[in-house]
Amino acid sequence: MARHVESGGSSPTIEHLPGDIVRMHTVADRQLVHRMAFAAFASTRWLWWSLGIVLIAGPAVIAWIGGADAEQLSVGDLLFYLIFGVVFFIVFAAGVLYRSGPDYWRLYKLPIGNTIYVDVAPEWIGVGWSDRYTALARRHIERVSVHKSVLVIVGCGYKILAPCELIPIDTANLLQSETKRRDSTDSTAPPRTAPPQRPPFSTDPPEATENQAIRTHATADHTLANRLAVSVRQSSAIRKVALLLLILGVVGGIGLFLDDERPLDSMFLALLATCAAGYGIIGYHMFLGAAAHLRRVVPEGTALTAEFGSDWIGIRLGGYYEAFGAARIIKMERVDSALIATIQGPADGVAPRRSAEGLVIPTELTPTDVVEGLLQRYG
């Protein structure tokens, strides 16, 4: 059951829009932002399991492999490394969930004072703030959980977060029950209606821009998912993360080689274990995860649409829709069969680039003149 709470800030405002859409919005305060951050990190179970295994067992395993030939390690040494790994993981998890995570969200993702919107439509759930809006088709929702009174909604590899006070409690409970009784056939069927019209962006000019957008349509073929996965694999973001992990690994290896003190050894071993976990996650994402995710999002026959406004872009891939202000784009690159846009955090954040993430746009949806304009401006 979803727990309905009251925000520490102003009371939510309720609007009833055409198409049986209920829009609730409020101003984000410190408590709400911290709850959103906790839910975002705590709900990523696979990451915590992976990090837990690597950080707890990794130092002991690496130390055992490094000292096996000379029989340098005793049972007490291995036990020390295991205990160090447990303590390191607990401190790391607590720091992310209760300190660095909330600070990161408050400074870079959802600054205090932004208006946050949640739309509940018969076939869609949408969430947005500042100049970004995301919607997920309800029949594509696979899992719903509650963390710190925030509804975490997962479907087709995407995750959206909705504060419980901005969703009617009967709708929240219905979403949870729907995911339990939905069969696989129904979950792949496309929604019959369009996603809700996005709320006003903070970067919108005074005049309306909805009717000035260039709209394109396409249908996914059986090769689209694999082609997009290749584009993701070849993107510059993957190369940058791999290079950063390589540098950290080299630093850890040099430190481990030069230092003979056991406490410092443990720190370097933990660093090496973290790099190993990072490479494992990247490798899975590049060669298996990205393709599997995209095959769920854009199977053959999926309807694809795009909207290119003068100051915003909207992309719909089947049951997933995202719109964002063009001011968020910090880089646009053409990679194989896609345009990959790097999108930064809200402009009113302390350092928007620190919360940058990527969005894949199939080239089927991008007219030549639009592509040339985007690459010229952001390439």
Side-chain angles (χ1 to χ4, degrees):
M1 298 284 288
R3 188 160 62 92
H4 205 62
V5 300
E6 293 297 330
S7 172
S10 57
S11 299
T13 301
I14 303 175
E15 300 178 45
H16 294 274
L17 307 179
D20 264 346
I21 299 172
V22 177
R23 171 170 292 170
M24 301 179 69
H25 54 90
T26 190
V27 176
D29 59 11
R30 188 182 188 90
Q31 181 188 28
L32 188 149
V33 174
H34 281 214
R35 288 193 288 120
M36 294 279 282
F38 184 94
F41 290 106
S43 60
T44 314
R45 298 177 183 175
W46 65 270
L47 179 61
W48 290 112
W49 276 105
S50 302
L51 286 176
I53 293 172
V54 172
L55 294 182
I56 292 173
V61 171
I62 295 175
W64 179 76
I65 293 174
D69 294 338
E71 297 183 353
Q72 297 171 344
L73 295 177
S74 65
V75 174
D77 290 325
L78 292 176
L79 184 61
F80 169 82
Y81 286 123
L82 284 174
I83 294 174
F84 178 87
V86 171
V87 173
F88 183 83
F89 176 71
I90 292 174
V91 172
F92 175 81
V96 169
L97 293 175
Y98 294 99
R99 182 68 182 190
S100 61
D103 286 348
Y104 172 79
W105 265 68
R106 177 173 52 84
L107 295 174
Y108 312 126
K109 293 276 286 185
L110 177 55
I112 294 172
N114 270 253
T115 299
I116 179 170
Y117 297 83
V118 175
D119 292 338
V120 177
E123 290 196 290
W124 294 84
I125 296 291
V127 179
W129 61 83
S130 186
D131 53 354
R132 190 168 184 182
Y133 179 76
T134 302
L136 185 64
R138 291 174 61 162
R139 66 176 60 195
H140 289 186
I141 295 174
E142 301 163 358
R143 187 173 69 253
V144 178
S145 58
V146 181
H147 299 269
K148 289 280 189 178
S149 298
V150 173
L151 214 61
V152 180
I153 304 170
V154 178
C156 293
Y158 294 103
K159 176 169 64 178
I160 59 176
L161 309 176
C164 288
E165 61 266 35
L166 296 183
I167 291 187
I169 190 168
D170 55 341
T171 301
N173 294 331
L174 181 61
L175 288 174
Q176 291 175 299
S177 63
E178 284 178 347
T179 60
K180 297 177 181 178
R181 64 172 183 264
R182 181 181 296 116
D183 58 38
S184 58
T185 303
D186 182 61
S187 65
T188 59
R192 294 179 295 271
T193 58
Q197 183 176 347
R198 65 173 178 83
F201 284 165
S202 60
T203 53
D204 280 345
E207 66 274 9
T209 60
E210 290 288 335
N211 295 326
Q212 301 173 11
I214 299 173
R215 292 175 172 83
T216 60
H217 306 267
T219 301
D221 60 21
H222 69 283
T223 67
L224 179 61
N226 290 332
R227 288 190 286 113
L228 294 181
V230 171
S231 299
V232 172
R233 191 182 310 153
Q234 297 175 353
S235 66
S236 60
I238 293 291
R239 294 195 298 270
K240 289 179 181 178
V241 173
L243 179 60
L244 175 61
L245 289 174
L246 177 62
I247 293 173
L248 292 177
V250 170
V251 171
I254 294 175
L256 188 64
F257 177 77
L258 295 178
D259 194 90
D260 295 327
E261 297 295 328
R262 189 168 69 175
L264 289 178
D265 280 355
S266 302
M267 291 173 20
F268 290 125
L269 286 171
L271 180 60
L272 288 174
T274 303
C275 293
Y279 269 114
I281 292 171
I282 288 179
Y284 170 79
H285 176 72
M286 286 176 58
F287 298 104
L288 295 174
H293 159 67
L294 289 165
R295 279 193 290 268
R296 292 158 62 196
V297 177
V298 287
E300 184 177 4
T302 299
L304 315 172
T305 61
E307 301 167 298
F308 299 94
S310 59
D311 55 357
W312 64 282
I313 295 175
I315 304 295
R316 177 183 170 184
L317 305 176
Y320 177 78
Y321 174 76
E322 182 163 347
F324 54 92
R328 283 205 181 207
I329 302 174
I330 57 178
K331 185 177 181 180
M332 185 78 71
E333 57 181 328
R334 181 185 233 156
V335 184
D336 199 55
S337 299
L339 283 179
I340 298 183
T342 303
I343 309 167
Q344 65 180 4
D348 52 353
V350 173
R353 286 176 178 261
R354 294 196 180 184
S355 61
E357 54 190 286
L359 177 67
V360 179
I361 306 174
T363 52
E364 288 90 335
L365 294 175
T366 51
T368 302
D369 55 340
V370 172
V371 172
E372 292 176 353
L374 290 173
L375 292 176
Q376 183 177 5
R377 184 175 179 183
Y378 303 107

